[in-house]
Amino acid sequence: MVGRIFALVRKDLQLFLRDIRGLLLIFFMPFMFIVIMSLALRGSFGGGNERPIRVAAVVEDRGSQAARVLEELDRFPGFDVETNHGGRPLDRAAAGEQVAAGEQAVAVIFPADFSAALEADPTERSAPAVVQVMLDPAAPVQIVQPIIGTVRGLVERSVYRAMMPRGLDRMIDWIAPEMAPARRAALRAVAERAAAGRMQDGGGSAVRIERVAPPGMRPQRLPDSFQQNVPGYTVFGIFWIVSLIAHSIHDERRHGTFRRLLVAPLGRGTMLVGKLLPYFLINLVQATVMLGAASLIFDLDLGDSPAGLAVIVVAASVASSGLGVLVSSITRTDAQIGGLTTMLLLTLSAIGGCFVPRVAMPDWLASVGLASPHAWALDGLQDILMRGCGVVEVLPRAGVLLGFGALFFLLGLWRFRFE
Amino acid sequence: MSAPILTVEGLVKSYGGRRAVDGLSLTVGPKEIFGLLGPNGAGKSTTLAMLSTLLVPDAGRIELDGVDLVREPGRVRPWLGYVPQELALYPALSARDNLSFFGRIYGLGGRKLAERVDAVLDVVGLRDRARELVRTFSGGMMRRLNLAAGLVHSPKVLFLDEPTVGVDPQSRNFIFEHVLRLRNEGLTILYTSHYMEEVQRLCDRVAIIDEGRMLALDTPQALVGRLGEGLLVLGLPDGGLEGLSPCASRLDAVGKVTVRDGRLYLEANNVNRALVELLDLCNVRQIGLTSLQVLPPSLESVFLRLTGKRLRD
């Protein structure tokens, strides 16, 4: 029996290697997605040498407060502030052109009275200081909101800094008008440090944010866009084997070769094993090539557990093979296979988080995503690549994937036609 | 005839309420080319599907070389060579790769496999095209390779299901020659066709089947010989059939007389004399003929007499 299974495997591998479309679908398409999407989204992730978000700044302010805000924004990780264009200070019209042309994601405009408004006597202020943010109306909220939030935070800190000394003077005048100038200056220095969020010794920030991992996971370096995209599009690619399996089984029926094999001393079980095994092997090679290439070319950190990666890849391949049997059992034409696999795989990939992380989805959609084997495979790969997990930690996810595979296979077998 | 290698008794297969094969019984001897002749839908392919273990019969017994084929299909499959009506090949593989694959499926390997592949490529005349992809072959070449795929594992019995459908005359002759050659080399062949010429030319014995039932079984010569010199088919007006039929069977030049679908079928021992006697009889009885056909002795005529239909209907 082993020899006959080997013959079936060898035949399907021969056919696969002569099928340019299949090779492109399995190896080229997901890899191109990884490259294009990772390069396109480099600015959206914080780790490594990611491309910062460029912010055009128009400074019409006649005081110093706008410059202080921009200086801090420029020091902020992930932002690159540009106040000049063509050797001249950026004006409102030029900034508008750059945003409209898509050269800058956003332009921040500090009007002429920005400093004056901040520094005005609190008891005499009638209107808030205004900062204008110019955006492409089509800019995605994921890009826009962090920029606006960061600018708002920095501006509010400037507000405190600008208002604190004047407000303190006013309080001292009320409470202790006879206070000596030296004591008044010392008190003002303490207040300014507090407003700047600095420790009493004048050194570091009063708040330190430490990154820790949930129990059972180890903190890794901040993920870059490749670490986000390689697992997603590897899982996306693994499940496209469904299309190849369904087309291959359909071809066997169409060419009458299944009929001929049924007359041979094979048995239907051997035929199915021999049909699925080559595609399972192709999946393993595919995942190895994708992850290996990402590691070599893009310096992707593959984590500390190759065995854990293997467990997840094998389990995902079992699930994809089972889905291939199911799809082939309910389709009868090439057009049906093409339509169903495209719709099914894109939907399962999308809700499974291959394109957009499930944490960014509404709760209900993230829950629905658990019905997709892609979600479990992706979480398993991310456990290894980004959460520092090992074999034992990913076994439950592998078990769910094997369950998906068994369910798909049994449903497919129930409807399967050899002729 | 020596002991049969294939015995079929009371074979039945129904689809829904329709009996595709209805009580078929036959035996096939070793080194015999046995023909199943009938029009499309007669039940030939269903019969072959049961004989080749693709379908399980509803009733009946099939024995191949002493083994019950229905109960032990796995045991007899290595002995069967099956050449389906439709091409059953991998177009993206070469001829050699196709044959090697089918050989491996039957447990061949190594040198034995290479020798068998070369041998069957020689049989079908494709040795010099062995490395070319099948999708580049002509229809006739594909048919020949289809035949080779059924032979690569040296079966005891070869089932050929309409192997010449859609084949050019040159390839058809090629297949005929090689079927005869295979028989001469000791292979038993069961051959289905709705082309009477090829059955008449190739087969040692022929079973004529229609609507799932066997109507006649004999050598082509014996079946055709029953028609004498030919078959006369007479169309008669209302009432003429009853008037002419009893008298016609007593004519010297006429053999068996059959009435079917309002027509009279007369096997003529001597066509000219039978015609003269019949026309005299019609004059005497004052019966006008509405049609008259004189058919040469052939399997087509045999089929027409048995069923009232032409093979290609």
Side-chain angles (χ1 to χ4, degrees), chain B residues 128-145:
Chain B
D128 58 335
R129 312 290 295 268
R131 295 194 179 281
E132 294 177 27
L133 299 185
V134 171
R135 64 174 165 229
T136 65
F137 282 11
S138 68
M141 288 164 68
M142 286 188 194
R143 281 276 168 200
R144 282 146 59 187
L145 188 64

Side-chain angles (χ1 to χ4, degrees), chain A residues 376-388:
Chain A
W376 297 87
L378 181 56
D379 281 348
L381 286 185
Q382 287 176 335
D383 282 348
I384 305 291
L385 298 185
M386 293 154 72
R387 299 185 184 112

Side-chain angles (χ1 to χ4, degrees), chain B residues 87-236:
Chain B
L87 294 169
L89 300 165
Y90 296 99
L93 297 184
S94 70
R96 182 176 292 281
D97 286 341
N98 265 281
L99 296 176
S100 298
F101 166 67
F102 288 116
R104 286 190 194 99
I105 289 300
Y106 282 87
L108 297 179
R111 202 164 150 185
K112 176 87 187 282
L113 175 66
E115 284 172 4
R116 280 303 300 160
V117 168
D118 285 343
V120 291
L121 282 169
D122 283 337
V123 165
V124 297
L126 290 172
R127 182 82 176 264
D128 58 335
R129 312 290 295 268
R131 295 194 179 281
E132 294 177 27
L133 299 185
V134 171
R135 64 174 165 229
T136 65
F137 282 11
S138 68
M141 288 164 68
M142 286 188 194
R143 281 276 168 200
R144 282 146 59 187
L145 188 64
N146 203 36
L147 173 61
L151 293 170
V152 69
H153 60 289
S154 308
K156 286 184 180 178
V157 180
L158 181 65
F159 296 137
L160 291 171
D161 192 3
E162 307 251 15
T164 58
V165 170
V167 171
D168 60 274
Q170 191 185 354
S171 290
R172 179 176 294 189
N173 283 330
F174 194 96
I175 289 171
F176 289 170
E177 285 169 21
H178 284 89
V179 167
L180 289 169
R181 187 174 138 193
L182 290 166
R183 190 271 309 273
N184 294 337
E185 289 171 0
L187 192 61
T188 303
I189 297 167
L190 199 124
Y191 190 104
T192 78
S193 180
H194 65 276
Y195 296 128
M196 57 153 189
E197 305 89 353
E198 58 189 57
V199 170
Q200 201 159 351
R201 178 174 165 186
L202 288 175
C203 296
D204 299 311
R205 288 190 305 144
V206 180
I208 295 177
I209 62 173
D210 189 40
E211 296 179 357
R213 277 173 296 189
M214 190 161 70
L215 305 176
L217 169 61
D218 213 327
T219 63
Q221 297 75 16
L223 286 170
V224 172
R226 290 179 197 169
L227 296 181
E229 277 197 354
L231 183 70
L232 305 181
V233 184
L234 276 66
L236 296 162

Side-chain angles (χ1 to χ4, degrees), chain A residues 63-102:
Chain A
S64 61
Q65 295 295 343
R68 287 179 71 176
V69 171
L70 290 175
E71 190 183 328
E72 291 199 48
L73 183 63
D74 199 28
R75 282 205 302 266
F76 211 79
F79 288 96
D80 184 10
V81 177
E82 294 179 15
T83 53
N84 291 299
H85 182 64
R88 290 192 307 170
L90 200 61
D91 59 20
R92 194 179 281 257
E97 285 173 12
Q98 287 186 4
V99 171

Side-chain angles (χ1 to χ4, degrees), chain A residues 4 10 252 255 259-260 263, chain B residues 82 87-88 90 105 146:
Chain A
R4 291 181 169 104
R10 176 176 169 159
E252 295 268 13
H255 294 146
R259 195 174 172 83
R260 179 164 248 154
V263 177
Chain B
Y82 177 60
L87 294 169
Y90 296 99
I105 289 300
N146 203 36

